[in-house]
Amino acid sequence: MASQEEKQAQPFADIFDEDEAEKSFLLSKPACLIILGKPGSGKKTLARKLAQIWKCIFIEALEVIQTNIHEETEYGLQCQELLFKGQSISEELVTEMILKKIESPEVAHFGYVLSGFPSLSEEYMTVPQQIEKIKNLKLKPDFLINIKCSDYDLCQRISGQRQHPDSGQVYQRNQWDPNVIEKHKKEKDQHGEENEEEDEEQEEEETAEDLLMVSEFLHQLVQRPEDILENAEERVGTYKDIMLHPLEDLMAEQDCQNLIELDGNQQPDDLFVVNKNYICCYCCFNKQDDLFRVLSSYKLIAHRYRWRRSRWGQACPVALKEGDIVMGNPDLAVSFLGKMYVLSSPEALKTFMLNPRPYLLPPMPLPPCKVLVFGPPFSGRTTVCNLIAHKYKGKV
């Protein structure tokens, strides 16, 4: 009774202790987003920007293909073989790579920003089937971001794109057309408020740089076939015919608080002002004795707030999960959720950074217990070993 009265006397006290709060975070679902919109509306640009800001995993067809080829995975080798033969990568293979990436350990920890799926191509799955795949994902999207833009504005923007053949960089009309650049400059001079001298000088310098850039490679820019006005209008029409209505049904099922609609005529940088949820600082040190002293004062979260020692001490969480007690290397120190962890090898550090949750969730840290069972022949050693292993989830 006395303890209950003490709890009631402190109504503003935190009912969760530190371990429960940490466990709650480790069991929580990471933020997952899907970017929707018409072809050429800027889905990929916005998704890449959001992934950088939120520290999520950016998932998009071309990005997934390049990653698998670079890492020489089984899918990557298949892609290389097809490309060497001059063949295109099938839609089925691309879809498998995207779904495999969504199920990866790093996505389970960091979350994802998905762009370009569902796709207009129905070579492997129809649009309703692709949407059904999204609904059945283990990590379902928390937010749907729909970029809205009128057909006319979008087709004019796409038809104004030019590509540099050597670098592959795509430039909008206001970046390469001298007439448009000069027109924007005159509009700024005629319209609006008086600017400070520094701002005027900066604008003049930027305009000069733009004109210089245009003069250098204007003759090299080419228009891609998909950017021709007629082809752009056809792609937008196809989107409205086969994809618009299924996506509208998907968005109608979503909680209105988690559906964000944006003006596609704005710049991606102007769409969101985003704050980070948590800070994860990776630090390196040279002296074992000074590890905790130096790390505790490195990149403080707030004034007088220091990183704290975790229950793992200097033991490697990854090695401990695998059943071995290995002391960590000071050069492979990492701070996560305000606590310090020391990894034993670059491979363990990479694994821990991809997804630290399996190594921190209870019952970890659980020191491995090794038992030796011996006795005369036919005394039941094997039976006892199997029973002990089953009881304590060990290995014989």
Side-chain angles (χ1 to χ4, degrees):
M1 291 297 293
S3 62
Q4 291 181 358
E5 290 176 358
E6 289 177 2
K7 288 181 180 178
Q8 292 176 358
Q10 299 177 357
F12 298 106
D14 189 357
I15 62 173
F16 298 103
D17 62 18
E18 184 178 340
D19 293 338
E20 288 177 345
E22 182 174 320
K23 179 181 177 181
S24 176
F25 173 81
L26 293 173
L27 290 172
S28 65
K29 178 181 177 294
C32 302
L33 305 91
I34 291 186
I35 313 295
L36 306 173
K38 298 174 184 176
S41 60
K43 299 187 295 292
K44 184 176 179 180
T45 304
L46 178 60
R48 191 185 297 276
K49 185 69 176 177
L50 285 174
Q52 292 174 352
I53 294 174
W54 283 103
K55 307 301 180 186
C56 295
I57 305 300
F58 172 54
I59 301 179
E60 186 265 342
L62 181 59
E63 186 81 10
V64 170
I65 292 172
Q66 291 175 343
T67 301
N68 278 273
I69 292 176
H70 177 72
E71 296 178 354
E72 296 183 349
T73 63
E74 182 181 350
Y75 290 122
L77 296 177
Q78 293 181 35
C79 293
Q80 277 188 326
E81 184 178 354
L82 291 171
L83 294 174
F84 287 154
K85 292 179 180 178
Q87 301 175 4
S88 60
I89 301 173
S90 66
E91 194 70 26
E92 179 180 2
L93 185 57
V94 174
T95 303
E96 288 180 3
M97 286 189 287
I98 290 175
L99 297 177
K100 184 75 173 178
K101 185 67 175 179
I102 294 176
E103 297 172 356
S104 62
E106 60 267 32
V107 170
H109 175 56
F110 290 104
Y112 62 80
V113 181
L114 178 62
S115 172
F117 190 85
S119 67
L120 279 174
S121 173
E122 294 188 309
E123 173 189 336
Y124 174 52
M125 287 191 298
T126 63
V127 171
Q129 289 174 336
Q130 295 179 61
I131 292 178
E132 197 62 30
K133 278 283 186 184
I134 293 175
K135 293 180 180 179
N136 294 329
L137 288 174
K138 184 178 179 180
L139 288 176
K140 293 181 173 59
D142 300 295
F143 294 94
L144 300 182
I145 300 177
N146 183 31
I147 304 177
K148 303 180 71 174
C149 190
S150 68
D151 295 351
Y152 176 80
D153 291 339
L154 184 59
C155 292
Q156 290 298 315
R157 183 202 304 171
I158 294 174
S159 63
Q161 293 180 155
R162 298 293 185 272
Q163 185 179 44
H164 192 273
D166 294 336
S167 65
Q169 178 69 32
V170 177
Y171 297 92
Q172 301 295 330
R173 185 181 297 277
N174 59 3
Q175 294 176 297
W176 63 265
D177 192 336
N179 296 327
V180 176
I181 295 174
E182 188 65 26
K183 181 181 178 181
H184 283 325
K185 182 177 180 298
K186 290 180 179 179
E187 288 178 354
K188 286 182 180 179
D189 292 339
Q190 296 173 357
H191 179 80
E193 310 165 353
E194 297 181 355
N195 298 325
E196 296 180 359
E197 294 182 0
E198 294 180 359
D199 294 337
E200 292 178 356
E201 290 177 1
Q202 184 177 359
E203 288 180 3
E204 290 177 0
E205 290 176 0
E206 291 176 354
T207 304
E209 290 177 359
D210 292 337
L211 292 174
L212 180 61
M213 178 187 68
V214 169
S215 62
E216 288 178 352
F217 58 78
L218 178 60
H219 63 284
Q220 299 178 359
L221 297 181
V222 296
Q223 188 177 30
R224 298 174 298 181
E226 61 266 26
D227 292 339
I228 297 174
L229 182 59
E230 292 77 10
N231 295 338
E233 291 174 345
E234 182 180 353
R235 287 168 58 204
V236 172
T238 304
Y239 171 89
K240 295 172 70 175
D241 291 339
I242 69 173
M243 187 176 286
L244 183 58
H245 293 301
L247 286 182
E248 287 178 342
D249 294 338
L250 175 65
M251 289 185 284
E253 297 174 4
Q254 187 77 4
D255 186 346
C256 61
Q257 295 181 349
N258 299 336
L259 174 61
I260 304 173
E261 295 189 330
L262 306 174
D263 181 4
N265 291 322
Q266 294 184 11
Q267 294 296 323
D269 292 343
D270 300 332
L271 296 178
F272 290 109
V273 177
V274 189
N275 294 319
K276 296 180 181 178
N277 271 346
Y278 55 88
I279 299 174
C280 190
C281 301
Y282 304 101
C283 317
C284 296
F285 303 95
N286 295 321
K287 297 183 179 180
Q288 180 80 21
D289 297 338
D290 297 336
L291 170 65
F292 293 104
R293 178 179 60 82
V294 177
L295 180 56
S296 64
S297 61
Y298 184 79
K299 289 189 177 180
L300 303 183
I301 294 179
H303 183 59
R304 293 185 178 179
Y305 181 95
R306 288 178 176 269
W307 302 105
R308 289 160 293 165
R309 186 191 301 258
S310 70
R311 294 192 300 270
W312 282 253
Q314 295 186 14
C316 174
V318 176
L320 198 60
K321 177 74 173 178
E322 295 171 353
D324 296 320
I325 299 178
V326 181
M327 292 298 104
N329 184 348
D331 294 331
L332 303 174
V334 57
S335 297
F336 179 67
L337 291 181
K339 294 182 180 178
M340 298 172 284
Y341 302 92
V342 191
L343 287 305
S344 58
S345 66
E347 293 76 16
L349 176 63
K350 181 179 179 181
T351 304
F352 187 84
M353 289 170 59
L354 287 177
N355 187 359
R357 302 179 187 225
Y359 309 102
L360 304 185
L361 284 168
M364 304 305 297
L366 182 65
C369 179
K370 300 180 181 180
V371 180
L372 173 63
V373 179
F374 60 94
F378 305 104
S379 60
R381 292 171 298 179
T382 304
T383 303
V384 172
C385 284
N386 289 330
L387 289 173
I388 293 175
H390 178 74
K391 173 68 175 178
Y392 296 102
K393 299 181 180 179
K395 293 183 180 180
V396 177

